[in-house]
Amino acid sequence: MKLTHLKEPSLEFGGAMRHPDIRFGLMDYGPFDSGMEGAPRRIRLGIVGSAETVEGTARWIERCASGFPAKESRQPNLFPAFPGTGAEEAFRCEFVTIDELQRVLPPREIARLAAVPGQREMTRAVVETIANEIGALSERTVKPDVVLVALPIEIIERTYNARDVTSGEDSGEIEAGADLDFRGMLKAECMKLRLPIQLMWPTTFDPAYKIPRKLKENSNRRTQDPATIAWNLLTAIYYKAGGLPWRLARDARQLRTSFVGLSFYRSVDGEQVHTSTAQMFDERGEGLILRGGRMVENEEDRKPHLTAEDAYELLRNSLKVFRDQHGHWPARVVLHKTSRFDRNELAGFHKAIDERDIDYADFVWVQKSMTRLYRLGVYPPLRGSLLRFDKGEALLYTRGSVEFFRTYPGMYIPRPLMLRCQALGQPLQHVAEEMLALTKMNWNNTQFDNGLPITIAAARQVGEVLKYVGEGQEIAPRYSFYM
């Protein structure tokens, strides 16, 4: 065994400048696409909600323009101030909303929805109502770039528990569904309108709101400070509006690589399991979505797997998407999956790779591990700690103490990832360095120590939405419709 520590990966921002932290990179250099053709300059925000939540959300957007002070803390790098919005500030663009882009649900309609008996019936009714309001915005002469769904408390109380019960996702098991997932169902419906949405709770603009404890075990969670809320939400909105806040900083001498994450999801009726994939191109940092075939259960481990033919088709289509984007095939392919690659999957994937004469491929089985390392003192191991067992297996801390933050920013003891390479085209340390960098590519938040690589995290989110998209319906290829 060999223990090493990987350097925190840098990200690339405006002007090809680099920084390891997302917020400081945006403040110092602006988003990666700053100054490029097509980068957002003025993001129009639609709002749907009750009179109270629409007004509160619009007021919060206006408040963001002047910024928020840093949270008082002994870790200033963990809680920086939000500098505001505008042409000279972090995102180099404005975030605006106007009355014509706001849709208010009448109190009587909210009361009617909250009183619908039955969880599934109520969820469908709420989704239909909100989607109709968003549809009305999509037909305006001046359309919003992103719609903020400002949920009133009455709707939150009835919808938040309407979630599928996840069972053993780290072991490759599949969601065993119960009630409908409101979030996934609404995003699937809005996909038809080609309008990305952002769900918001009233605690965003007023932390005094109390969410009933019965909704979830950790409903008494501490509300983030205003600056952190602004950083996270506006970063997500900027990406959903077509912007690219940052990308991986990579050496030009490295192979042109396509990263693909695989996840399985069960259909709404619970009868079938399908594959969702999220593909990320390192050169653009863009996420593209594909839908794969149905799974079969392996007799050896009783886990879901692809047939050889479906594995071949999935990767062949993924490679074609890469070629359509770049005009050439990748020199290397990296596949991430949270369960073992069986022999049929390996055969199908290798067939697709050999067909395009791709010489380098890494198939990495990623799981959260119960094995932990301990260090002296009160803090857990450093993020980036890598314990190699052999040339194809290692333990990687993607969450842990962060030197830049001068603390461990989590609430619980972190679990490292176990990496098992079933096909190894690059040295294991290089694979681990990429894995660490890919944990920083989640545009839903700006704290860079996410636990899972974006390939796996995105594929899971995609599955939560695709289960509500019919077989014949065209799916949105951009990740912004699923996050």
Side-chain angles (χ1 to χ4, degrees):
M1 293 188 292
K2 182 178 181 181
L3 180 63
T4 56
H5 179 246
L6 305 180
K7 181 182 178 182
E8 185 62 53
S10 290
L11 298 169
E12 189 172 336
F13 298 91
M17 302 302 289
R18 299 183 176 189
H19 199 286
D21 184 82
I22 294 164
R23 291 163 292 189
F24 285 92
L26 288 171
M27 280 192 287
D28 293 345
Y29 311 119
F32 170 75
D33 59 357
S34 178
M36 297 182 182
E37 184 178 353
R41 295 289 179 268
R42 191 168 189 264
I43 297 176
R44 296 183 298 269
L45 299 172
I47 308 177
V48 174
S50 66
E52 188 176 19
T53 61
V54 167
E55 180 185 3
T57 300
R59 189 170 61 246
W60 181 80
I61 293 296
E62 294 173 1
R63 176 70 180 83
C64 286
S66 57
F68 296 99
K71 175 183 175 180
E72 293 186 10
S73 171
R74 290 179 295 179
Q75 288 86 30
N77 285 354
L78 184 58
F79 301 106
F82 179 73
T85 59
E88 303 301 321
E89 300 299 346
F91 294 100
R92 310 297 197 261
C93 78
E94 296 179 284
F95 296 76
V96 298
T97 184
I98 56 177
D99 291 346
E100 288 74 13
L101 295 181
Q102 298 172 6
R103 302 284 295 185
V104 175
L105 297 173
R108 180 179 297 179
E109 177 66 6
I110 295 174
R112 181 190 73 81
L113 293 171
V116 173
Q119 192 71 62
R120 298 174 71 88
E121 292 74 14
M122 179 277 309
T123 301
R124 288 194 179 95
V126 173
V127 166
E128 181 181 1
T129 298
I130 294 178
N132 286 340
E133 297 295 332
I134 296 173
L137 292 177
S138 71
E139 295 173 357
R140 294 288 172 87
T141 303
V142 178
K143 299 180 179 62
D145 299 299
V146 180
V147 176
L148 309 180
V149 181
L151 297 172
I153 292 292
E154 298 92 330
I155 299 300
I156 294 174
E157 288 179 345
R158 288 298 312 275
T159 58
Y160 197 87
N161 277 336
R163 302 296 301 273
D164 285 340
V165 179
T166 300
S167 172
E169 59 186 16
D170 293 327
S171 62
E173 295 177 12
I174 303 301
E175 295 172 350
D179 290 312
L180 298 177
D181 177 357
F182 165 72
R183 175 189 174 277
M185 196 173 184
L186 181 61
K187 286 185 177 287
E189 195 65 26
C190 293
M191 192 183 298
K192 302 173 186 175
L193 305 171
R194 287 296 189 262
L195 268 181
I197 65 173
Q198 176 70 45
L199 296 177
M200 294 182 63
W201 285 21
T203 47
T204 299
F205 58 82
D206 186 355
Y209 272 92
K210 299 299 181 184
I211 306 300
R213 178 180 291 272
K214 67 178 182 180
L215 286 180
K216 53 177 182 167
E217 293 181 1
N218 63 334
S219 61
N220 59 345
R221 74 193 191 287
R222 294 173 294 176
T223 303
Q224 292 176 322
D225 62 285
T228 298
I229 291 174
W231 273 119
N232 291 340
L233 270 176
L234 294 185
T235 296
I237 291 170
Y238 184 84
Y239 175 72
K240 291 179 180 183
L244 191 57
W246 64 87
R247 74 170 184 179
L248 291 178
R250 297 181 63 79
D251 191 324
R253 296 169 295 180
Q254 293 178 352
L255 297 172
R256 300 291 289 273
T257 303
S258 177
F259 297 96
V260 183
L262 284 75
S263 182
F264 296 100
Y265 65 94
R266 192 176 297 278
S267 59
V268 177
D269 60 14
E271 296 298 320
Q272 300 170 350
V273 175
H274 298 267
T275 313
S276 63
T277 71
Q279 179 172 356
M280 203 210 75
F281 304 138
D282 65 286
E283 290 84 357
R284 290 181 173 85
E286 177 63 282
L288 293 174
I289 306 307
L290 297 169
R291 176 158 53 183
R294 298 176 184 175
M295 75 91 182
V296 294
E297 191 175 82
N298 188 295
E299 294 181 357
E300 296 177 3
D301 60 10
R302 314 304 295 179
K303 298 293 190 297
H305 292 279
L306 291 168
T307 64
E309 182 61 28
D310 281 344
Y312 164 73
E313 288 290 337
L314 188 150
L315 188 51
R316 188 187 70 164
N317 291 337
S318 178
L319 294 173
K320 184 179 182 300
V321 169
F322 186 99
R323 187 181 185 281
D324 291 343
Q325 292 286 317
H326 295 287
H328 59 80
W329 306 104
R332 175 171 169 255
V333 173
V334 177
L335 289 173
H336 292 159
K337 189 167 172 279
T338 56
S339 58
R340 182 179 59 84
F341 293 84
D342 72 3
R343 62 180 181 273
N344 293 320
E345 291 171 328
L346 292 172
F349 291 142
H350 278 298
K351 179 182 176 182
I353 290 169
D354 293 342
E355 190 174 78
R356 298 303 173 193
D357 294 324
I358 297 172
D359 295 326
Y360 300 94
D362 296 280
F363 300 164
V364 188
W365 171 13
V366 184
Q367 281 190 309
K368 287 186 179 180
S369 176
M370 293 304 295
T371 302
R372 291 186 173 94
L373 306 179
Y374 293 89
R375 60 188 292 224
L376 296 176
V378 297
Y379 293 110
L382 292 170
R383 169 178 153 88
S385 297
L386 178 69
L387 179 63
R388 285 178 283 182
F389 300 106
D390 54 38
K391 69 175 185 177
E393 187 171 347
L395 199 70
L396 173 65
Y397 270 85
T398 53
R399 299 220 68 202
S401 301
V402 178
E403 292 178 311
F404 184 77
F405 296 151
R406 297 178 60 188
T407 188
Y408 167 55
M411 296 179 63
Y412 306 102
I413 298 174
R415 291 175 60 186
L417 298 182
M418 181 65 75
L419 312 182
R420 296 183 176 92
C421 300
Q422 293 184 247
L424 191 60
Q426 294 291 308
L428 180 58
Q429 177 155 330
H430 181 74
V431 172
E433 288 171 346
E434 289 178 329
M435 187 75 64
L436 194 66
L438 288 169
T439 64
K440 305 178 78 161
M441 296 304 294
N442 185 349
W443 297 285
N444 247 340
N445 70 72
T446 53
Q447 186 173 306
F448 63 67
D449 62 328
N450 295 290
L452 289 171
I454 188 61
T455 44
I456 296 297
R460 286 182 175 173
Q461 279 192 308
V462 166
E464 292 173 0
V465 176
L466 285 186
K467 67 172 63 179
Y468 300 104
V469 178
E471 288 286 340
Q473 181 183 333
E474 182 183 357
I475 68 171
R478 199 165 189 264
Y479 176 49
S480 55
F481 288 91
Y482 304 84
M483 60 183 275

